[in-house]
Amino acid sequence: MEQAVITYLTKNRDKHLTELKEFLAIPSISSLPEHKEDVQKAAKWVSNALQEIGMEKIEIYETKGHPVVYGEWLKAEGKPTVMIYGHYDVQPVDPVELWDSPPFEAEIRDEKIYARGASDDKGQVFMHLKALQAIFETTGTLPINVKFLIEGEEEIGSPNLPLFVKENKELLSSDVIVISDTSMMERGKPAICYGLRGLCGVQIDVKGPKSDLHSGLYGGMVQNPIHALVEIVKSFHNEKGQITVEGFYDKVAELTADEKAAYASLGITDQSFIDQLGVPEMFGEEGFTSLERNWVRPTLEVNGIYGGFQGEGIKTVLPAEAHAKITCRLVPDQDPDEIVELLQKHIKTYTPPGVTVNVSLFDKGPAFVTPFDHPAIQAAGRAYEKVYNVPTSYTRGGGSIPIVATFDQILEKPVVLMGFGLPDENFHAPNEHFNLENFDKGMETICYYWYELEQSL
């Protein structure tokens, strides 16, 4: 890659930050109806930005919700095609009183830019725009073909994007999908996330008598729904932290020796988690390290449980109902629908007499993994190392980004999660910010990546 590209980025840094502030000033909160016009405004901003950097066939596609912005440049004959995905919508800002500066008036303090969307994900989308512009402006061309898919509903679960992807499979065809919406390990330590867990969630509703009862008049003669729910919840795990739902682990693949060695090389100890989380000791499925439990093993967690009297003091009531919210993080080959069926069967088996139980489905999405020795992944690692001068870590995420699995299933191409945020940048919280060190180094890394990818695919 020509040094002129890096010189261009350095020379235009102040201009780029001014443009980013304009983008961050748009309160594109996708979850709040009163900001619908702001979301539209952000889509238009992205469209204009794509035009400015030289993209073609730019279009704002309307959906049943917020729009999708598309643009392409396909003149690098014989070179790989990359689809860059990101989102221009942001989370709500409440509680606004906890912000040290207005959330939509970007402010730079201590070489960090503070604003809602600075890290998640406007700042990282912006970096891709300007990295490509730098190459265009200095060389007159690109080393790869590019397609942009920037949506406005990621923060509400991307409800309309899967259908758009399915209906526009040919339009979105590419050799690799690149997403910058994740974090590095820590400051100065880049990481590529090559897999995410899937998700399925259910609510358990336990019903007993038709109304709350006086526990003195009726206690001991009818089943207490809370007691019944506790019995069901207790049946999900044994004392070794293993999930006891029959068939739950049947399709879980074993961790490869290379992956196990890669995780061990990160040097992350249980003590670091204990210090971070303030717990007396770690706990989980026997036979696995904490990292392995979080990245490559499935889970079943109770996220909330409620029923009966919740006020101060005591009320001698035997409640009519009790409820629990359950989510499972899933690994590759586990089908969310199959897991829900196994949960329903297990709950039915362990429901005590005297109550009725209903299980309703919430969110679901499969897991995804791109082998970390894939050329597109390794090319990204080399690009990081050229700029940060340290080895790249290869990780898997414990969380879920359902649209990533959608891309994996429908488009059937490798997904590279190439993030530049830091874990402590308060995304989704007050005082969200983005470290300008990674703003600068990130754009350099992206530029190097396109040239590495040109040679790798």
Side-chain angles (χ1 to χ4, degrees):
M1 186 180 76
E2 296 181 14
Q3 179 60 36
V5 176
I6 306 304
T7 302
Y8 176 93
L9 290 172
T10 303
K11 182 179 178 180
N12 287 275
R13 185 180 193 255
D14 290 343
K15 178 176 180 289
H16 290 162
L17 288 174
T18 297
E19 292 174 353
L20 176 56
K21 287 180 179 180
E22 293 172 359
F23 192 20
L24 294 171
I26 305 171
S28 49
I29 304 171
S30 54
S31 62
L32 301 179
E34 60 265 34
H35 286 282
K36 182 176 181 180
E37 289 187 7
D38 294 315
V39 178
Q40 293 279 345
K41 184 179 178 181
K44 183 63 176 176
W45 192 97
V46 173
S47 174
N48 291 340
L50 289 173
Q51 185 174 11
E52 180 188 341
I53 70 170
M55 294 295 107
E56 301 173 346
K57 295 185 179 180
I58 300 161
E59 188 161 348
I60 297 176
Y61 288 92
E62 297 297 333
T63 71
K64 291 181 180 179
H66 301 306
V68 171
V69 186
Y70 176 84
E72 66 180 33
W73 187 88
L74 304 177
K75 296 181 178 179
E77 187 175 349
K79 302 299 183 181
T81 298
V82 178
M83 187 181 86
I84 299 170
Y85 163 83
H87 63 94
Y88 61 83
D89 65 319
V90 299
Q91 283 277 327
V93 298
D94 301 299
V96 69
E97 65 272 11
L98 297 183
W99 287 78
D100 294 330
S101 55
F104 295 109
E105 296 177 20
E107 184 175 295
I108 294 176
R109 305 191 298 271
D110 301 322
E111 279 299 285
K112 302 171 185 176
I113 185 166
Y114 285 81
R116 173 60 86 227
S119 180
D120 180 21
D121 180 39
K122 287 181 176 178
Q124 300 198 57
V125 167
F126 183 85
M127 290 163 61
H128 277 284
L129 294 168
K130 295 305 161 182
L132 287 173
Q133 186 175 24
I135 297 174
F136 254 137
E137 294 286 341
T138 53
T139 71
T141 188
L142 295 177
I144 42 90
N145 298 292
V146 179
K147 297 180 178 182
F148 275 94
L149 177 66
I150 312 298
E151 69 153 320
E153 296 188 322
E154 195 275 344
E155 297 294 5
I156 55 174
S158 305
N160 295 294
L161 194 58
L163 178 61
F164 179 85
V165 173
K166 187 174 182 180
E167 291 179 343
N168 294 276
K169 186 175 179 179
E170 184 174 346
L171 176 72
L172 302 176
S173 64
S174 63
D175 296 299
V176 61
I177 300 164
V178 175
I179 301 174
S180 295
D181 193 15
T182 52
S183 298
M184 305 190 345
M185 289 290 292
E186 58 184 75
R187 185 181 300 277
K189 291 189 176 181
I192 295 173
C193 179
Y194 65 93
L196 295 167
R197 292 192 292 190
L199 176 73
C200 71
V202 301
Q203 177 162 317
I204 305 172
D205 299 305
V206 180
K207 299 291 181 68
K210 61 184 180 181
S211 64
D212 289 354
L213 302 176
H214 190 295
S215 66
L217 297 178
Y218 297 99
M221 57 189 290
V222 296
Q223 177 67 268
N224 185 317
I226 294 180
H227 296 178
L229 180 58
V230 169
E231 192 170 327
I232 293 169
V233 168
K234 187 176 186 301
S235 73
F236 287 139
H237 298 85
N238 61 22
E239 67 280 359
K240 296 180 179 180
Q242 297 162 330
I243 298 166
T244 55
V245 176
E246 186 175 352
F248 191 88
Y249 292 113
D250 285 357
K251 295 184 177 180
V252 177
E254 293 295 322
L255 184 64
T256 68
D258 286 345
E259 287 178 304
K260 203 172 184 69
Y263 301 161
S265 71
L266 297 176
I268 299 175
T269 65
D270 274 5
Q271 190 59 49
S272 65
F273 287 118
I274 289 170
D275 294 341
Q276 175 188 348
L277 302 174
V279 295
E281 61 184 279
M282 302 304 289
F283 176 77
E285 185 184 0
E286 188 176 85
F288 299 91
T289 67
S290 293
L291 271 188
E292 291 166 358
R293 294 168 186 157
N294 184 244
W295 288 352
V296 298
R297 298 298 294 175
T299 66
L300 190 162
E301 299 289 353
V302 181
N303 308 121
I305 188 166
Y306 56 99
F309 179 63
Q310 305 291 317
E312 293 185 16
I314 192 167
K315 182 180 181 183
T316 56
V317 64
L318 194 157
E321 56 189 60
H323 313 271
K325 297 180 186 293
I326 308 290
T327 53
C328 299
R329 298 289 177 172
L330 308 178
V331 296
D333 298 328
Q334 284 188 301
D335 184 311
D337 292 323
E338 289 182 6
I339 295 299
V340 169
E341 289 182 11
L342 294 176
L343 286 173
Q344 290 172 325
K345 183 178 179 181
H346 179 93
I347 291 166
K348 183 177 181 180
T349 298
Y350 284 89
T351 296
V355 293
T356 58
V357 175
N358 180 66
V359 180
S360 53
L361 175 65
F362 283 141
D363 293 342
K364 66 174 182 177
F368 113 93
V369 64
T370 295
F372 81 99
D373 58 356
H374 190 283
I377 296 281
Q378 292 300 312
R382 292 193 298 274
Y384 272 122
E385 289 167 9
K386 283 185 177 181
V387 177
Y388 286 87
N389 296 311
V390 296
T392 301
S393 297
Y394 297 93
T395 70
R396 282 165 71 167
S400 307
I401 306 177
I403 196 59
V404 174
T406 297
F407 290 148
D408 184 46
Q409 289 186 321
I410 298 176
L411 301 179
E412 299 179 318
K413 295 299 177 181
V415 180
V416 180
L417 295 173
M418 193 176 184
F420 298 95
L422 292 178
D424 62 354
E425 289 181 335
N426 288 5
F427 33 85
H428 293 205
N431 296 314
E432 179 181 351
H433 59 277
F434 190 43
N435 282 260
L436 295 184
E437 175 188 7
N438 292 325
F439 178 79
D440 298 329
K441 289 185 174 181
M443 282 193 284
E444 289 187 31
T445 302
I446 290 168
C447 291
Y448 276 114
Y449 182 42
W450 301 142
Y451 286 95
E452 287 286 342
L453 203 59
E454 175 193 17
Q455 303 297 321
S456 301
L457 293 183

